[in-house]
């Protein structure tokens, strides 16, 4: 065999290994953002939908999706009513004198509850023998907040109409309950895969409390 036939592709003028690898350094920013948002949407669909295999997504964890969902939920809730509604005999909403705007406090509280709550649930799962890393669990729990985002949007939309009828309350309550059940079921499917079966109940209980706290805030903030 001649030395020419044994020459490497780079020496023969062909592309090197580094050149053959796909790079995104020179792609447009719009293409990068489109790819990132597409990945977030795909992960949200696979993780938040009940019955999907959440464990396959653990290798590709990210925190952009949970951060976006956290910010959206905090913005929705902080833009809601800042005080209990007071109505006159004609059914008109009367704003009480000296009402304080607590939007900033609500935004900070929701942000803190989501991230600190996810951290506590993750540490609990690890202590129970879960085979999952810290950021992987934060990723899955953060994506499972998506159903509560939908519930918050529906409940707040009803609350913004200042409707106090039983029908409006049932719409708000039903949306929050459905969102809570959806989020809990999706996260439970994940926890059951990474925590031993004998300790799954101990891992699922804090998850339920975590999403229950968010659901309660949604129901309170959507009250006209």
């Amino acid at each position: 065999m001649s030395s020419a036939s044994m020459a490497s592709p780079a020496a023969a003028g062909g592309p090197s290994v580094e050149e053959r690898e796909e790079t995104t350094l020179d792609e447009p920013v719009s293409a990068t953002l489109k790819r990132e948002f597409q990945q977030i949407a795909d992960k949200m669909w696979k993780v938040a939908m009940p019955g999907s295999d959440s464990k396959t997504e653990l290798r590709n964890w990210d925190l952009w999706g949970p951060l976006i969902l956290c910010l959206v939920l905090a913005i929705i809730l902080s833009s809601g009513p800042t005080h209990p509604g007071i109505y006159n005999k004609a059914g008109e909403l009367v704003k009480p004198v000296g009402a304080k705007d607590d939007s900033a406090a609500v935004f900070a509280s929701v942000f803190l509850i989501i991230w600190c709550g996810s951290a506590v649930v993750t540490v609990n799962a690890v202590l129970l023998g879960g085979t999952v890393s810290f950021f992987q669990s934060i990723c899955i729990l953060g994506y499972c907040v998506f159903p509560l985002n939908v519930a918050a949007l529906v409940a707040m939309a009803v609350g913004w109409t200042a409707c106090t009828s039983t029908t409006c309350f049932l719409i708000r309550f039903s949306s929050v309950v459905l969102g809570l059940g959806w989020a809990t079921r999706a996260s439970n499917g994940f926890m059951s895969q990474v925590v031993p079966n004998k300790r799954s109940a101990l891992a699922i209980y804090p998850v339920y409390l975590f999403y229950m706290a968010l659901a309660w805030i949604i129901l309170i903030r959507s009250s006209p």
Side-chain angles (χ1 to χ4, degrees):
M1 182 178 295
S2 64
S3 59
S5 61
M6 297 176 61
S8 62
S16 63
V17 175
E18 291 79 6
E19 293 173 343
R20 290 197 302 267
E21 291 180 351
E22 182 179 0
T23 179
T24 59
L25 294 178
D26 56 348
E27 71 175 2
V29 176
S30 59
T32 302
L33 293 177
K34 181 179 180 180
R35 186 183 68 255
E36 293 295 332
F37 280 113
Q38 183 63 43
Q39 292 176 356
I40 291 175
D42 292 341
K43 191 177 276 81
M44 188 183 303
W45 176 264
K46 295 177 182 178
V47 173
M49 289 300 295
S52 63
D53 188 6
S54 304
K55 198 170 184 178
T56 59
E57 297 300 318
L58 294 179
R59 296 187 300 271
N60 303 319
W61 63 268
D62 69 89
L63 298 181
W64 284 113
L67 177 60
I68 292 175
L69 292 174
C70 174
L71 290 176
V72 170
L73 182 60
I75 291 173
I76 292 175
L77 295 180
S78 62
S79 61
T82 59
H83 56 81
I86 298 179
Y87 295 84
N88 55 23
K89 295 181 180 180
E92 299 175 347
L93 180 64
V94 179
K95 183 178 181 179
V97 179
K100 294 181 60 177
D101 186 1
D102 56 354
S103 299
V106 172
F107 184 94
S109 299
V110 173
F111 197 90
L112 187 65
I113 288 175
I114 290 180
W115 290 105
C116 291
S118 298
V120 171
V121 171
T122 299
V123 171
N124 178 70
V126 173
L127 293 177
L128 291 175
T131 56
V132 61
S133 71
F134 183 81
F135 290 109
Q136 287 174 340
S137 180
I138 292 290
C139 172
I140 299 297
L141 293 173
Y143 273 107
C144 289
V145 175
F146 169 69
L148 290 175
N149 281 52
V150 178
L153 187 60
V154 174
M156 296 300 290
V158 176
W160 288 329
T161 63
C163 177
T164 59
S165 65
T166 304
T167 301
C168 294
F169 171 77
L170 291 177
I171 294 175
R172 292 191 297 108
F173 184 79
S174 300
S175 63
V176 173
V177 170
L178 289 176
L180 174 62
W182 185 5
T184 304
R185 182 180 177 185
S187 58
N188 287 353
F190 155 71
M191 283 297 177
S192 62
Q193 297 179 22
V194 299
V195 177
N197 293 332
K198 295 182 179 180
R199 300 179 179 179
S200 60
L202 296 176
I204 292 174
Y205 180 68
V207 175
Y208 176 77
L209 293 180
F210 167 57
Y211 291 123
M212 183 65 184
L214 294 176
W216 181 254
I217 294 177
I218 295 173
L219 192 60
I220 295 299
R221 291 292 295 176
S222 63
S223 300

